[in-house]
């Protein structure tokens, strides 16, 4: 199967960002050609005239909880503890694998509308989450969510083996929910497993001040210092949120090459704080971006996140030049891929996976054109996403989904499931 | 001309927000019926099946500088003074009325994609701004931008008379740029004009700390206290931005019924601060929302602004229940209309102007449905805007513009003008 995009602008993010005009060919699951028009090019199954629109590498949503669409706008505008204990936890207890499957697909659809081609997903009912992605043709990296209440070391190791098959759209990273929900025994078991597999480990880290204070009172250490002592991150990995890292924590992140995955919309909405992303960047810590789950955001939109990453740093640093658009785009496309171990999905180049999105520049929010990269980060919107391709397959085009599902049926099943849970 | 929307959900914002199912008729420029299906309804020129989608009153963009699309992404990620003095001012000096006209139309188009049906626009080249709106069929309230460098009291008074004709899409409010750009003599002249016309006055007020400190050093008063002393707001009006109002300032706002128009995206991006909107609401001060101009935002998207208004208050107050979605929606549709003097555009009701938007609920970011109003504020996006109607005319539908313009020609003229200015 060969698809040719022509009259395209193509975002090259090799060193600095620049945009070249020409053709991009996809052969099966990979990019097979980028360059000027070839009169003697191969016969194509489909040729798509982009009329000057822009091909970008797909965004990577480096932290999310996809099945939580059922809690979107369910209990907003309430204090955090009331929201968690009275609304989120009782509803989550009613989830089943079949519900998880349907609620996940709604999230995958929303990723596609936002040009997101891969998600790093932490939730329970892992087989249902994996099946939803596999059935839709979406690329998902599952993150372990081990804690005192969910899963076990044995189950995590089984998932690690099952979901790390070659040539699969699914992969699996070791992970646990957070220090405050995971016993020291389990943490030691995770460190041991990481050592045996020489594998990176991911977890929620320092999302709130209360979380850090709790860890200090239990261990007289920050979460990051505790993980360092236990050897959790001896083979890398990273932290989700990282709003409240100490100087010593950031030194550990830097030394170990750990990724910060920032979630600005969720942190604002839950009043957790603003992660000092600009400081992390200056210290050389790699940063990726996630939407977090739809219960706390509530939308799964990389354009919103990108805008917030830069705008909040400008505010935090009192400096309108902080965290420029190019850095943010690098986080959203390349750093996310590297954090998730998707080393073939980090940029548009021959031989890389064909995970990409087409951005409509013929919209008023992109005109007139002074700087397309800055437009993308500061002015871009889901409305500009014309097409999203994962692994060489077009899953979303001109508002329609090609994910092997009846969309109306997904919506009606989701509504019925939700009704049955209330 | 009669248009019927059927199979609709209709947002009623009379007291509290609630949603009713049924039909909405538009006769010429006004809403003529809201209620259940009528078998004996009048013959319609067009009947539109909404398939359960939602009709909302159009958003009101209560502070913007539309012609500044030419500076979108022109000089981002630079310190504020460098941005203003080296980039914005020299480019603005090259504007002409014909350029202003074209650049304004691009902003109007973007408003339509975001469900915005009216703008409160402050810029020079007023006749060109007015002509762009009138030619496109858009509703614009022009705000005077008098200052030491632009316009004069005489010109403002002439505009005030010219642009306040009955049955026009255009209207005009007295206004000046800001205290720091306007001499005391001019401020006294504005107060005098406001008294003669019993008219409200609008201005940039306390956008930055430097602005407030400058006024303190000149007058030993805050801008608001100075305006109060001069009688500027004796007949009402309001302030744009209002990031740094003192307690005494807010008392004056409350006593005079002045509107705060908040611009959260611009304030973040220019590192100006976060306006304490929740505090204003608790004090009973009416708050409306504006995008500010595309040089500082960079997009003209009421969904982004609505999300930021609530999320930033949650952060500022350390309280996830601050500034609930319903308050934000009220600001974006109703308070904006009242601030701008559009008393016939504040809600969907029989006899009101037909300024409305259709929101697509059949999108993954709106599913499953727990609470449509919260979905709209927390998860809504331009991608959900199916149709925007101003004064009974459909100006935007399914991605196409009906504004008496050749869109391709607008884009190419804008590009040529921009090129000529560099």
């Amino acid at each position: 199967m060969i698809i040719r995009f022509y009259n395209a602008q193509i975002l090259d993010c090799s060193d600095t960002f620049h945009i070249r005009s020409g053709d991009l060919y996809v052969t099966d699951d990979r990019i097979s050609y980028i360059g000027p028009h070839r009169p003697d090019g191969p016969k194509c199954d489909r040729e798509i005239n982009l009329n000057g629109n822009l091909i970008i590498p797909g965004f990577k949503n480096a932290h999310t909880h996809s099945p939580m669409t059922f809690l979107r706008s369910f209990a907003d505008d309430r204090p955090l503890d009331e929201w968690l204990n009275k609304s989120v936890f009782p509803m989550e207890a009613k989830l089943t694998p079949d519900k998880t499957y349907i609620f996940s697909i709604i999230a995958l659809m929303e990723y596609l509308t936002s040009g997101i081609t891969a998600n790093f997903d932490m939730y329970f009912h892992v087989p249902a989450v994996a099946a939803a992605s596999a059935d839709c043709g979406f690329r998902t990296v599952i993150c372990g969510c081990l804690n005192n209440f969910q899963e076990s070391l044995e189950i995590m190791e089984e998932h690690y083996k099952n979901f790390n098959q070659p040539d699969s759209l699914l992969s699996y990273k070791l992970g646990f929910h957070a220090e405050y929900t995971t016993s020291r025994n389990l943490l030691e078991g995770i460190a041991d497993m990481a050592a045996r597999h020489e594998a990176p480990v991911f977890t929620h880290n320092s999302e709130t001040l209360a979380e850090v204070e709790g860890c200090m009172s239990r261990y007289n250490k920050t979460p990051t210092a505790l993980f360092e002592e236990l050897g959790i991150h001896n083979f890398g990995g990273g932290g989700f949120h990282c709003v409240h890292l100490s100087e010593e924590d950031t030194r550990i992140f830097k030394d170990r090459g750990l990724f910060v995955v920032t979630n600005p919309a969720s942190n604002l909405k839950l009043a957790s704080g603003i992660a000092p992303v600009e400081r992390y960047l200056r210290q050389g810590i790699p940063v990726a971006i996630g939407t977090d789950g739809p219960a706390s955001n509530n939308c799964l939109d990389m354009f919103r996140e990108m805008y917030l990453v830069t705008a909040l740093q400008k505010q935090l640093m009192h400096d309108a030049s902080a965290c420029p658009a190019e850095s943010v785009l690098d986080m959203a496309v390349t750093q996310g891929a590297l954090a998730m171990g998707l080393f073939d999905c980090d940029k548009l180049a021959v031989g890389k996976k064909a995970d990409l999105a087409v951005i409509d520049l013929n919209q008023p929010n992109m005109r007139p054109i002074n700087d397309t990269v800055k437009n993308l980060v500061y002015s871009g919107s889901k409305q500009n996403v014309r097409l999203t391709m994962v692994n060489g397959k077009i899953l979303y085009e001109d508002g329609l989904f090609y994910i092997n599902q009846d969309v109306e049926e997904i919506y009606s099943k989701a509504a019925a499931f939700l009704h049955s849970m209330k």
Side-chain angles (χ1 to χ4, degrees), chain A:
Chain A
M1 178 78 168
I2 301 180
I3 297 175
R4 172 187 171 223
F5 296 99
Y6 65 103
N7 287 334
Q9 297 195 66
I10 299 156
L11 184 69
D12 186 335
C13 33
S14 305
D15 252 337
T16 56
F17 287 103
H18 63 270
I19 291 169
R20 52 209 289 199
S21 299
D23 287 13
L24 185 149
Y25 284 68
V26 173
T27 304
D28 301 327
D29 57 334
R30 294 190 186 263
I31 297 168
S32 51
Y33 175 83
I34 296 177
H37 169 64
R38 311 184 279 189
D40 58 344
K43 191 170 173 332
C44 297
D45 299 279
R46 189 168 168 208
E47 301 195 292
I48 302 174
N49 185 347
L50 289 193
N51 290 311
N53 286 326
L54 178 71
I55 307 178
I56 63 169
F59 297 125
K60 315 303 179 305
N61 187 356
H63 178 56
T64 185
H65 312 283
S66 296
M68 295 183 84
T69 51
F70 75 110
L71 292 174
R72 190 204 304 276
S73 303
F74 176 62
D76 294 296
D77 302 318
R78 296 195 204 164
L80 186 57
D81 55 344
E82 186 187 317
W83 173 75
L84 260 181
N85 293 305
K86 292 197 180 165
S87 300
V88 173
F89 292 155
M91 283 291 277
E92 282 190 326
K94 297 178 194 166
L95 266 187
T96 54
D98 56 342
K99 294 185 179 76
T100 304
Y101 178 89
I102 295 293
F103 294 142
S104 291
I105 289 177
I106 290 180
L108 301 178
M109 291 167 59
E110 192 175 351
Y111 299 146
L112 292 170
T113 64
S114 190
I116 293 169
T117 54
N119 60 329
F120 198 8
D121 218 305
M122 178 191 268
Y123 210 65
F124 49 102
H125 292 308
V126 166
V129 172
S133 282
D135 291 353
C136 291
F138 200 78
R139 191 181 304 283
T140 292
V141 182
I142 299 165
C143 183
C145 69
L146 181 62
N147 60 65
N148 299 337
F149 317 102
Q150 302 281 352
E151 300 199 343
S152 67
L153 288 165
E154 293 67 32
I155 293 175
M156 186 155 77
E157 191 141 22
E158 199 182 299
H159 285 335
Y160 184 81
K161 290 173 186 163
N162 283 346
F163 293 116
N164 279 323
Q165 305 298 326
D167 295 326
S168 167
L169 285 166
L170 298 172
S171 53
Y172 188 94
K173 298 285 172 201
L174 300 184
F176 59 100
H177 177 260
E179 177 278 326
Y180 63 99
T181 52
T182 312
S183 70
R184 186 172 178 124
N185 262 352
L186 281 179
L187 293 175
E188 289 170 351
I190 293 163
D192 176 63
M193 202 183 303
R196 279 189 287 109
H197 296 288
E198 301 190 352
V201 175
F202 294 83
T203 187
H204 290 102
N205 186 335
S206 306
E207 177 175 0
T208 66
L209 264 184
E211 175 194 336
V212 177
E213 286 162 1
C215 188
M216 292 297 292
S217 73
R218 278 184 289 280
Y219 295 102
N220 200 28
K221 285 189 173 59
T222 64
T224 304
L226 175 68
F227 303 155
E228 177 68 7
E229 180 186 271
L230 297 175
I232 296 260
H233 290 308
N234 283 4
F235 295 89
F240 306 126
H241 297 286
C242 299
V243 178
H244 304 281
L245 295 186
S246 71
E247 281 295 324
E248 167 67 10
D249 293 342
T250 56
R251 196 193 53 71
I252 295 169
F253 265 70
K254 170 77 176 106
D255 289 351
R256 293 253 173 242
L258 302 181
F259 283 84
V260 162
V261 180
T262 189
N263 306 88
S266 167
N267 297 155
L268 275 189
K269 183 150 171 284
L270 298 181
S272 307
I274 298 172
V277 168
E278 173 75 11
R279 179 158 69 83
Y280 300 159
L281 292 177
R282 288 183 192 174
Q283 290 177 279
I285 296 170
V287 180
I289 304 174
T291 59
D292 208 2
S296 58
N297 187 336
N298 307 353
C299 73
L300 306 168
D301 181 356
M302 194 54 79
F303 295 101
R304 174 187 283 182
E305 301 302 324
M306 289 198 299
Y307 173 79
L308 283 175
V309 169
T310 174
L312 291 173
Q313 293 311 303
K314 287 165 163 57
Q315 185 64 37
L316 195 66
M317 309 294 286
H318 304 292
D319 177 359
S321 69
C323 208
E326 296 75 10
S327 297
V328 178
L329 192 57
D330 176 58
M331 294 176 206
V333 299
T334 305
Q335 298 306 320
L338 301 181
M340 294 157 71
L342 301 173
F343 303 110
D344 274 0
C345 305
D346 58 329
K347 57 180 164 180
L348 300 177
V350 172
K352 295 283 181 181
K353 287 281 191 183
D355 284 22
L356 54 83
V358 173
I359 302 298
D360 188 352
L361 303 181
N362 291 298
Q363 290 283 337
N365 67 330
M366 294 283 163
R367 295 301 180 107
I369 298 174
N370 281 302
D371 183 323
T372 296
V373 167
K374 291 192 195 294
N375 270 352
L376 201 56
V377 171
Y378 289 126
S379 188
S381 148
K382 284 175 171 172
Q383 166 224 13
N384 297 102
V385 177
R386 289 256 64 84
L387 180 153
T388 307
M389 170 182 274
V390 177
N391 210 42
K393 292 213 162 53
I394 294 169
L395 302 189
Y396 176 72
E397 187 176 6
D398 292 327
L400 297 176
F401 298 91
Y402 303 95
I403 53 172
N404 314 312
Q405 310 284 339
D406 179 331
V407 168
E408 284 310 310
E409 198 178 303
I410 296 289
Y411 289 154
S412 65
K413 276 190 186 171
F417 281 144
L418 185 60
H419 184 74
S420 75
M421 294 165 81
K422 284 184 178 171

